[in-house]
Structure formats: C-alpha cells, structure tokens
Amino acid sequence: MTQPGAHSGGTALLRVRDLKTYFVTEQGKGTARAVDDVSFDLYPGETLGIVGESGCGKTVTSAPCGAIRSP
C-alpha cells in the first residue's frame, strides 16, 4: 500500500485522512469503535481493495466513498 504523501504520480483522486466511525451501543451505554484513524490515497490508474475478516470495518470504511462512481 502506498503511504500517504509518498506517491509521485500526480494528484490523488481520493484522499481520506484520519477516518473515524463510532457507534453508540444499545441503550447508549457505551461506544463501539468501528473504524479508528484510517488514512489512504487513491491515484489515477490505481485500484483500492479493502479486505479483512467479517466485522472488521470494511463497509464502514468504504461507505463515505460510496457516492464516487465511474462515468
């Protein structure tokens, strides 16, 4: 994976920094950290794959980027 700021191929199409997503647990008795401090860049010509075990936060990580579609 390319480290943030280490790519020399132009401007990033997508830049995510310090993404955090927390959920309030049942009856507001606590907080569950679904995603905590995720950062990545996506440059032209690159493909980003998010992999991991069930329940690790893949969908929650990609959801903010869901409105981005190819023409």
Side-chain angles (χ1 to χ4, degrees):
M1 181 172 158
T2 304
Q3 294 297 319
H7 199 279
S8 61
T11 303
L13 297 173
L14 175 65
R15 176 168 284 147
V16 176
R17 292 289 178 268
D18 305 319
L19 177 66
K20 296 174 176 61
T21 304
Y22 301 163
F23 295 102
V24 177
T25 58
E26 191 174 325
Q27 298 176 0
K29 294 183 179 181
T31 303
R33 292 181 177 187
V35 176
D36 201 11
D37 286 328
V38 172
S39 297
F40 58 86
D41 293 335
L42 183 63
Y43 288 88
E46 291 185 338
T47 301
L48 175 66
I50 300 175
V51 297
E53 295 181 14
S54 178
C56 72
K58 299 179 300 291
T59 300
V60 175
T61 299
S62 61
C65 309
I68 300 171
R69 304 267 187 223
S70 293

